[in-house]
Amino acid sequence: MIIKSKGYKTFRVINVFIMLLVIVITLFPVLNILAKSFSDLKNLTQNTVSIIPKGFNVDTYKTIMGDMDFWNDYKNTVIYTVLGTIISLVMTTMFAYALSVPRLMGKKFLTAFVVFTMFFNGGIIPNYMIVNGLHMRNTVWAIVVPGAISTFNLIVMRTFFEGIPKELEEAASIDGMNTYGILMRIIIPLSKPIIATMVLFYAVGMWNSWFSAFLYLDHTELLPVTIYLRNLIAGAMSATGADADSLGTVSVNIKYVTIVLTSVPILCVYPFLQKYFVQGVMIGSVKG
Amino acid sequence: MQKKSFTRNVKRIAKDWQLYSLLILPVLYYVIFKYGPMIGNVIAFRKYVPGGPWLGTKWVGLKYFKMFVTDPAFWNVFRNTLVISVSSLVFSFPIPIIFALLLNEVKNVFFKRTIQTISYLPHFLSIVVVAGMIIDFLSPSVGFVNQVLKQLTGHTIQFMQISSYFVPIYVISGIWQEMGWGAILYLAALTNINTELYEAAEIDGAGRWKQTLHVTIPGIMPTVAILFILNLGNLLNVGFEKVLLLYNPAIYDTSDVISTYLYRIAFTTNSFSYATAIGLFESVIGLALVIGSNKLTKKFAETSLW
């Protein structure tokens, strides 16, 4: 090891400051919203809240706890996320496994058939016409079916399956295990990391999505919580042209509380799955 | 002979029916929900009445394409799409690279991991949440930015109502949301650089800066090039949902993009065929960009081998 130059030492110190700055810039807007969600109207309208709540109160949280519309939408989000993730996971796994089997006839064609959709898609209007034509509007299926398979995720999973040694399947096959058995009892148990990644990607995508609900759902009792939030934002914008100044305490505060309650479940989960999704992104980049 | 191989294939499928049964639902899904809409694009060439026959009533040729070529509003949204996507590429692309390089110099593992985890956070927020945060953060009455501005200058700015602010707001918030996530691949490439290269450079008397210049940067160049080409292929994919959530009529002149324009045409004036023609035009340009950039990748992959 040679002696580090003075310049490098200076750089190390500056770099630590840059990294601290990155943390501050990333977290400040989030903490600002969190602080505002616990602040009272007076401090909000005087615009004095930064990252520590001022005039601490939980009134809006209490109000929203009793708001049936909010909980109905929240419940819908949970249902769509669970159902959507299950459908997506099952469909993606079936297809990815079949595409990873070397003896599959038409494998090349099917791969091209799938990959082409990454580069060319029908567009919003024709998609809308399909969903409409299948009478899926105002049903849960409009939310969970049209986006069931993400081609990127499919390719990631197929690539992962291709990396599992074929000897394992061959041995099981000689022992008389059929294809379903091999998939359920050999492939899936060996694929926990990729399944965790897929669950995270699909569940986050479904939890956060709003546009398909916006487009396909008219009945208020079907709406997810992202639409509840979107309506609050749109309402706030149209009320005074840009802002929420003329509305009451809870109306001002409710946006922050909704943002917090919408984001908390995902923000609590992702740090624990970091190892898996980093791996997933990397597999995807190798064979995209 | 053809018939023989056909019957042989049928026998093979019948014997291996469990494997092929796995394909049924997913292939059906792709046919209906991915290829169905592609076929639906024929209404760009046909007269379509909402509620009428699925693929329209009669052929009208290029009528709707001529319509948007001569529509000044279309060229405005076309320009906006290009401005937003090119500025996103120019400003958002280098930042994750710089972030990865700097993060790589952090030697304390715990600190490094903490920064990484925090930097992924905004990526996991819903675009609705991010849009709500942007509007709130920039709001004249409750927003933090205006709180600071007021103390410094005594004035506040209605950021979301002034056209010239839209593109910077879009790009900067995009960087905020995706910087950490975008660095994942670069960080992986950095850890894959052979440490012997650094040792050799050190023996040759290269300082840390020289090592970065001659080992680190060449080490991640293939990743940089491939991601740049991929981004080029997706150039026109402006964040439609984000624009839809952030824009308003006062700033349409800079914020309205092709996808939001066709969305309004379809759902406020019911001109499905016209909107589809615009969408098809955008998809075709997108496909051309992908094919073009793919050629670049191939060329690059060849030259990068030496």
Side-chain angles (χ1 to χ4, degrees):
Chain A
M1 275 283 168
I2 58 162
I3 299 149
K4 302 286 181 203
S5 70
K6 208 176 166 192
Y8 183 59
K9 277 182 194 152
T10 320
F11 163 77
R12 290 280 300 270
V13 174
I14 296 170
N15 196 26
V16 168
F17 279 104
I18 296 174
M19 289 298 133
L20 289 173
L21 192 67
V22 167
I23 295 181
V24 169
I25 291 172
T26 307
L27 288 185
F28 183 84
V30 179
L31 295 176
N32 182 237
I33 297 286
L34 188 64
K36 280 175 166 176
S37 76
F38 287 107
S39 299
D40 65 6
L41 180 67
K42 193 170 133 264
N43 283 292
L44 286 175
T45 48
Q46 286 173 356
N47 202 1
T48 57
V49 184
S50 63
I51 61 167
I52 296 156
K54 286 196 176 157
F56 186 88
N57 80 94
V58 289
D59 292 351
T60 315
Y61 280 95
K62 277 184 194 152
T63 313
I64 213 165
M65 288 296 165
D67 178 0
M68 288 327 286
D69 285 346
F70 176 83
W71 289 112
N72 179 59
D73 292 1
Y74 211 82
K75 181 198 76 194
N76 287 337
T77 292
V78 173
I79 293 172
Y80 298 160
T81 302
V82 172
L83 187 66
T85 306
I86 292 171
I87 292 175
S88 294
L89 192 64
V90 170
M91 296 272 280
T92 309
T93 308
M94 290 197 302
F95 206 6
Y97 176 66
L99 287 174
S100 79
V101 173
R103 67 173 191 279
L104 183 81
M105 285 189 294
K107 194 178 157 183
K108 262 199 164 156
F109 167 78
L110 281 172
T111 308
F113 170 80
V114 160
V115 169
F116 181 70
T117 63
M118 284 175 103
F119 303 128
F120 192 81
N121 64 62
I124 306 170
I125 311 303
N127 268 304
Y128 175 84
M129 285 162 56
I130 296 274
V131 173
N132 202 23
L134 292 170
H135 302 287
M136 283 176 153
R137 276 183 60 91
N138 288 315
T139 67
V140 45
W141 310 114
I143 308 301
V144 296
V145 173
I149 301 180
S150 137
T151 303
F152 176 83
N153 288 351
L154 178 71
I155 301 290
V156 169
M157 210 170 189
R158 185 212 59 182
T159 308
F160 185 93
F161 287 155
E162 278 174 346
I164 297 174
K166 294 289 164 229
E167 291 77 17
L168 292 170
E169 291 177 57
E170 281 158 19
S173 180
I174 290 164
D175 289 347
M177 199 183 265
N178 60 30
T179 307
Y180 292 163
I182 290 171
L183 177 59
M184 297 303 293
R185 276 185 278 161
I186 294 177
I187 301 296
I188 290 177
L190 286 171
S191 306
K192 278 178 196 143
I194 204 71
I195 290 172
T197 310
M198 292 296 131
V199 168
L200 179 78
F201 284 177
Y202 280 125
V204 168
M206 190 55 80
W207 185 278
N208 284 340
S209 80
W210 68 284
F211 187 67
S212 51
F214 184 65
L215 201 55
Y216 300 127
L217 303 179
D218 307 316
H219 301 331
T220 46
E221 73 273 11
L222 290 173
L223 297 175
V225 75
T226 42
I227 298 291
Y228 184 93
L229 178 59
R230 185 255 161 206
N231 291 342
L232 283 177
I233 296 165
M237 275 183 87
S238 62
T240 59
D243 250 308
D245 7 38
S246 63
L247 306 166
T249 315
V250 173
S251 331
V252 174
N253 213 322
I254 198 162
K255 192 169 72 182
Y256 308 121
V257 175
T258 311
I259 288 179
V260 171
L261 293 177
T262 309
S263 307
V264 154
I266 287 173
L267 298 189
C268 289
V269 171
Y270 89 88
F272 301 100
L273 291 168
Q274 191 163 326
K275 190 174 75 192
Y276 298 124
F277 64 70
V278 168
Q279 197 188 3
V281 170
M282 279 163 57
I283 296 173
S285 73
V286 179
K287 288 224 172 171
Chain B
M1 233 180 72
Q2 192 106 43
K3 207 174 175 191
K4 232 181 194 173
S5 72
F6 176 76
T7 44
R8 199 170 345 120
N9 284 344
V10 170
K11 268 186 193 153
R12 259 178 77 183
I13 292 175
K15 214 178 131 201
D16 210 356
W17 67 271
Q18 287 198 344
L19 176 64
Y20 292 92
S21 71
L22 295 174
L23 293 172
I24 298 169
L25 279 177
V27 169
L28 206 63
Y29 165 79
Y30 267 85
V31 169
I32 296 172
F33 291 100
K34 308 264 182 180
Y35 283 87
M38 290 184 205
I39 296 163
N41 271 310
V42 301
I43 69 157
F45 306 95
R46 290 172 68 86
K47 189 180 162 60
Y48 174 83
V49 194
W54 183 56
L55 290 176
T57 50
K58 64 168 198 242
W59 292 99
V60 294
L62 294 175
K63 181 185 161 193
Y64 297 109
F65 290 87
K66 283 181 191 138
M67 233 165 116
F68 74 69
V69 171
T70 54
D71 176 358
F74 171 77
W75 292 107
N76 181 48
V77 297
F78 188 73
R79 196 200 62 221
N80 289 344
T81 309
L82 280 182
V83 170
I84 292 176
S85 53
V86 171
S87 350
S88 295
L89 186 62
V90 169
F91 294 102
S92 315
F93 186 75
I95 304 257
I97 304 173
I98 297 166
F99 174 59
L101 286 172
L102 292 176
L103 188 60
N104 196 43
E105 296 298 326
V106 174
K107 299 300 169 209
N108 182 322
V109 179
F110 177 75
F111 187 45
K112 192 173 171 180
R113 284 206 61 134
T114 310
I115 300 166
Q116 243 175 305
T117 307
I118 290 172
S119 74
Y120 298 147
L121 186 149
H123 172 82
F124 287 98
L125 297 173
S126 169
I127 195 66
V128 184
V129 167
V130 173
M133 287 171 70
I134 293 168
I135 291 166
D136 184 76
F137 212 55
L138 298 174
S139 135
S141 58
V142 295
F144 179 77
V145 173
N146 273 308
Q147 180 187 324
V148 174
L149 270 182
K150 199 167 185 181
Q151 272 163 17
L152 293 178
T153 65
H155 302 287
T156 58
I157 299 174
Q158 294 248 12
F159 287 99
M160 301 311 290
Q161 301 293 317
I162 300 170
S163 298
S164 55
Y165 286 116
F166 184 79
V167 177
I169 291 168
Y170 180 93
V171 172
I172 293 169
S173 59
I175 293 173
W176 177 78
Q177 198 181 4
E178 298 299 335
M179 178 183 81
W181 188 258
I184 290 183
L185 289 172
Y186 299 118
L187 287 167
L190 284 169
T191 52
N192 284 336
I193 296 174
N194 194 340
T195 47
E196 282 171 18
L197 290 175
Y198 288 109
E199 283 156 20
E202 218 165 86
I203 291 164
D204 290 346
R208 197 61 210 176
W209 173 242
K210 282 253 168 78
Q211 289 178 28
T212 304
L213 225 53
H214 298 292
V215 179
T216 315
I217 293 186
I220 61 165
M221 260 338 261
T223 312
V224 173
I226 287 168
L227 285 182
F228 184 76
I229 291 163
L230 284 177
N231 272 300
L232 216 55
N234 284 324
L235 193 67
L236 284 190
N237 290 358
V238 172
F240 161 71
E241 296 186 8
K242 187 169 162 186
V243 175
L244 200 62
L245 288 163
L246 285 180
Y247 79 165
N248 61 70
I251 55 168
Y252 275 174
D253 60 326
T254 57
S255 62
D256 200 10
V257 292
I258 298 176
S259 46
T260 49
Y261 180 62
L262 74 87
Y263 167 80
R264 284 203 317 279
I265 284 187
F267 294 105
T268 58
T269 64
N270 268 333
S271 314
F272 277 49
S273 287
Y274 185 33
T276 306
I278 297 175
L280 185 59
F281 174 74
E282 192 186 20
S283 303
V284 169
I285 293 185
L287 185 64
L289 279 170
V290 170
I291 293 170
S293 55
N294 230 28
K295 284 223 170 93
L296 277 177
T297 323
K298 272 187 189 146
K299 207 171 171 187
F300 174 80
E302 274 169 21
T303 54
S304 74
L305 282 174
W306 54 266

